Amino acid sequence: MATKINMASTHVQGTNGALTIPFLGAVRNNGTEKTISEEELYRYTKHRWVYDEPRRLSERYLKFNLPQLLKAAVAAVSSSGARYCTKVLKCKEDLDNKVFLLAMDNGAEVFAKLPNPCAGPAFYTTTSEVATRKFLRDVLNIPAPRIIAWSADRNNPVKAEYILEEKAPGQPLGRFWHDWEKWPTKDKIAMITQIVEIERKLASTKFVKSGCIYFREDIHNSEALATNLPLPPSILERYTLGPLVERELWRGEKASMDINRGPYEGPQEFVKAMAETETKFIKAHARPRMNYARSLTEPELPDKMLDLLDRYLQLTPAMVPPFNDTHSPTLWHPDLHLNDVFVDPQSKKITCITGWQSAAVLPLFYQCGIPTMFRHQGPLSIDMNIWLERPDNYDSLEQDEKEVIDNLLRSECIHKYYIAQTRCNNRTHWGALRLQLQDKVRTQPTNIVQSVWKDHDIFFLQRALIRIVNRWEQLCPDSGPCPVSFSEQEMALYEHEEENRRYVSEILDLFRNNWGLSPDGSIESARYDEVQNEIARLRDAFVGAADNEEDRLLAEKVWPYQDTAED
């Protein structure tokens, strides 16, 4: 059983009392190890950012007490004979966590995961993850690494929240998936079948409310968990649903605000709460600021956002599908990637699923989808009878060109096979997924409403609401006339901003497709200088192409890769 550990000692010692300094290393991209300094354990080093870099790095800098972390890890596995830690290996980083492999003197290995400051709300993020993973392992029999010790108190001796867990058995699927010789089509199809079966277990477990899973002892005045499964009272009494840990609900000033983060009684309450909490934030903290894509002279006012939020609330009937079987609050993996799935390379069987941080119980229609690991990244017809074909001149193409085409064909095959498997073997998920495949117009406003003001993107909320207004009769055929409209003047301003943003979108697409630059400006550290030079060159060309001084000023202001201020 995982335990919360409290320790007072400040040194990591061997059995003879002498301080033991372990090897400090990191894993290179090619899988080899290199020696690093202690300071590099605390810093984020996988990516750099072409704008807002100091803020992004500070959000991912975590100074903790290394000796105390090692002492906690040794204590957690001391029953196996471990006396001290011999190696601290910084594993490949993700944006939200520091992950270390701790090797002990007796050969035991422990994974330590410490959430970065940007990972989510203090206490709740770690507490919910631990409870969720325990529920997955013990109740749903879904394999996840066993947690052996943890702490959600940043005032502990380690001076950081942490989870100590067993090393996941097997190897990440990402090491094999793209090798079609070692992992041929039949094995990929078998893997899709395994994932669909795990999702079937999740979709078959329906909760009464929406929120995040916690141990009941960690949430004051909480109710026992309620599900459709015939679970023993001892299990239901151990767990509860509490507030969502979605970071946008805790971002900036929101962290100290009393807003409704759940649990929610039904889908309408959840959908409305996303706008109501944002309204509360805007009234308390939003200030006028410039949106140069809209106007070079007139500031964007909080009242504009409040007006859109009011219209959002009037349109909520269209944001919930009419099919009740898609409404059930369901636990789902937040974003399943290849490296979240560990497999036995010999049997090709899944050994465990990782990446459950921030997992939530929400209406299935809202969070269902095709896992990232199976999702085709190019244009795709949802008609299962229409498939990509090789071009007529395929045989005359260069080998690298053939490989691009073949990979696209394989990607489409995997995507559509996942859909076919879900339709046949997970009807509950299919009921919600087919709505999303047809159109995301219902869920888009709820997906983005919490972030658009902070990200200077209220244009996208307006666009999402306009799409609902234009299809109101189809989405709500029995609800009468649409209660919301946009005037000619509003649409003219919207179309003006849309045109300016189209230029920005083209720039973002260019850098994503040719240099792998994420829209948030992150790039692998080794390519930073190359990409920065290219950005500077194209920015000069973009601004220099302006016809007049006003267009030049507009080009300078809307250029996407420049530092911004957090409102």
Side-chain angles (χ1 to χ4, degrees):
M1 176 177 176
T3 57
K4 300 180 185 179
I5 293 182
N6 244 335
M7 307 188 118
S9 175
T10 57
H11 301 284
V12 179
Q13 296 180 320
T15 54
N16 61 0
L19 182 66
T20 302
I21 301 176
F23 167 83
L24 304 181
V27 178
R28 295 187 179 96
N29 288 336
N30 63 6
T32 61
E33 298 176 10
K34 63 178 180 179
T35 302
I36 61 173
S37 66
E38 182 177 333
E39 177 63 20
E40 288 179 274
L41 295 177
Y42 310 134
R43 292 192 289 110
Y44 182 84
T45 56
K46 182 178 180 181
H47 293 100
R48 293 192 63 183
W49 280 264
V50 299
Y51 69 96
D52 287 341
E53 184 170 57
R55 175 171 63 84
R56 309 276 193 175
L57 292 176
S58 68
E59 292 172 344
R60 293 164 177 83
Y61 181 83
L62 183 68
K63 183 65 179 289
F64 55 91
N65 188 314
L66 177 61
Q68 286 294 335
L69 176 66
L70 302 186
K71 189 173 182 67
V74 170
V77 293
S78 60
S79 61
S80 69
R83 298 173 300 163
Y84 54 88
C85 178
T86 60
K87 179 193 287 189
V88 177
L89 190 63
K90 187 178 184 181
C91 302
K92 290 184 179 180
E93 299 170 282
D94 65 41
L95 290 170
D96 295 331
N97 302 282
K98 301 276 185 289
V99 181
F100 307 102
L101 178 62
L102 310 180
M104 304 300 167
D105 62 307
N106 69 337
E109 293 180 316
V110 176
F111 263 102
K113 184 169 82 167
L114 290 74
N116 288 328
C118 64
F123 175 78
Y124 293 103
T125 301
T126 298
T127 304
S128 177
E129 179 182 355
V130 171
T132 299
R133 287 169 55 178
K134 184 72 173 173
F135 184 85
L136 287 165
R137 279 178 58 94
D138 295 354
V139 181
L140 299 186
N141 198 29
I142 291 176
R146 184 176 65 89
I147 296 171
I148 53 181
W150 61 282
S151 173
D153 181 4
R154 293 181 181 178
N155 294 317
N156 62 29
V158 177
K159 301 303 179 186
E161 298 179 46
Y162 63 85
I163 294 175
L164 301 176
E165 60 188 64
E166 66 180 2
K167 183 180 179 181
Q171 297 184 41
L173 181 59
R175 293 184 183 177
F176 313 103
W177 188 254
H178 299 294
D179 188 331
W180 286 83
E181 291 185 4
K182 293 182 179 179
W183 210 281
T185 300
K186 66 180 181 63
D187 293 326
K188 287 180 166 60
I189 288 174
M191 179 55 56
I192 293 171
T193 301
Q194 291 181 69
I195 293 294
V196 169
E197 172 57 21
I198 289 173
E199 291 182 335
R200 187 197 62 77
K201 290 183 180 180
L202 293 171
S204 300
T205 306
K206 301 176 182 179
F207 297 76
V208 174
K209 295 182 180 181
S210 294
C212 281
I213 295 176
Y214 296 87
F215 295 122
R216 197 173 177 189
E217 66 194 54
D218 291 318
I219 302 296
H220 297 301
N221 301 319
S222 58
E223 300 176 355
L225 197 66
T227 74
N228 67 322
L229 297 179
L231 299 175
S234 59
I235 291 179
L236 297 175
E237 288 289 339
R238 185 178 187 191
Y239 297 97
T240 190
L241 286 178
L244 295 175
V245 299
E246 160 60 44
R247 74 189 67 190
E248 292 299 337
L249 286 166
W250 301 84
R251 185 174 173 184
E253 298 92 341
K254 290 180 187 176
S256 60
M257 293 182 67
D258 181 17
I259 56 179
N260 182 8
R261 301 182 180 92
Y264 308 104
E265 291 287 347
Q268 276 290 342
E269 182 184 348
F270 163 67
V271 168
K272 289 179 178 179
M274 294 301 101
E276 291 167 347
T277 56
E278 191 66 7
T279 297
K280 195 171 183 178
F281 162 73
I282 295 294
K283 288 180 177 179
H285 297 288
R287 301 292 181 267
R289 81 289 181 81
M290 296 306 298
N291 172 6
Y292 293 108
R294 180 178 177 274
S295 172
L296 289 171
T297 58
E298 298 295 325
E300 187 169 66
L301 303 177
D303 284 348
K304 167 70 172 177
M305 182 67 178
L306 290 173
D307 177 65
L308 290 176
L309 290 169
D310 179 67
R311 297 184 193 197
Y312 172 113
L313 289 169
Q314 295 180 65
L315 294 171
T316 53
M319 299 179 196
V320 176
F323 312 107
N324 290 334
D325 57 346
T326 69
H327 295 179
S328 297
T330 307
L331 176 63
W332 210 248
H333 195 285
D335 189 16
L336 193 63
H337 286 77
L338 289 170
N339 287 332
D340 292 325
V341 180
F342 282 70
V343 297
D344 180 331
Q346 302 304 318
S347 68
K348 306 289 199 313
K349 298 295 185 182
I350 292 175
T351 56
C352 71
I353 305 288
T354 66
W356 293 98
Q357 186 180 68
S358 302
V361 174
L362 290 171
L364 184 57
F365 73 83
Y366 177 76
Q367 61 176 357
C368 73
I370 295 175
T372 302
M373 59 188 286
F374 299 141
R375 196 179 306 150
H376 183 66
Q377 298 303 315
L380 183 76
S381 171
I382 63 172
D383 188 336
M384 297 295 283
N385 295 313
I386 299 177
W387 293 77
L388 292 173
E389 296 182 356
R390 289 173 173 168
D392 294 337
N393 65 336
Y394 176 84
D395 291 337
S396 63
L397 295 176
E398 298 293 333
Q399 186 58 36
D400 59 342
E401 295 175 307
K402 290 181 178 179
E403 288 180 4
V404 170
I405 293 170
D406 290 344
N407 285 336
L408 286 173
L409 294 173
R410 291 164 175 164
S411 175
E412 181 193 40
C413 178
I414 288 168
H415 182 113
K416 288 192 172 181
Y417 187 80
Y418 171 84
I419 292 175
Q421 279 287 299
T422 298
R423 183 171 58 189
C424 293
N425 299 317
N426 191 356
R427 299 295 295 178
T428 302
H429 185 203
W430 172 245
L433 181 60
R434 63 177 178 172
L435 297 177
Q436 187 192 85
L437 292 175
Q438 293 166 359
D439 202 338
K440 296 182 181 180
V441 66
R442 291 188 190 272
T443 56
Q444 184 66 10
T446 308
N447 266 315
I448 65 176
V449 68
Q450 284 286 323
S451 63
V452 291
W453 179 265
K454 279 285 191 180
D455 291 342
H456 294 245
D457 283 338
I458 71 171
F459 164 84
F460 295 109
L461 178 60
Q462 183 175 358
R463 182 177 69 180
L465 298 181
I466 288 172
R467 289 173 175 172
I468 286 183
V469 169
N470 290 341
R471 296 179 52 190
W472 177 262
E473 291 185 1
Q474 176 189 349
L475 298 172
C476 298
D478 301 322
S479 298
C482 182
V484 168
S485 62
F486 289 89
S487 68
E488 291 184 7
Q489 182 181 10
E490 286 177 309
M491 291 304 300
L493 288 172
Y494 168 81
E495 289 165 4
H496 168 74
E497 182 172 352
E498 183 179 40
E499 182 179 2
N500 289 334
R501 285 184 175 271
R502 187 177 298 119
Y503 300 135
V504 176
S505 179
E506 291 171 357
I507 294 168
L508 294 173
D509 288 343
L510 174 68
F511 277 95
R512 179 172 54 241
N513 295 335
N514 292 295
W515 287 277
L517 182 62
S518 170
D520 72 353
S522 62
I523 189 73
E524 288 188 0
S525 297
R527 303 194 62 198
Y528 177 80
D529 290 337
E530 170 199 355
V531 172
Q532 275 288 40
N533 291 336
E534 195 62 27
I535 286 174
R537 185 183 70 82
L538 287 182
R539 181 190 180 281
D540 290 344
F542 181 67
V543 174
D547 294 330
N548 52 56
E549 191 59 34
E550 182 177 339
D551 286 350
R552 179 182 177 85
L553 178 60
L554 176 63
E556 290 175 346
K557 294 298 186 181
V558 301
W559 179 255
Y561 304 115
Q562 53 186 315
D563 290 347
T564 60
E566 273 277 288
D567 295 317

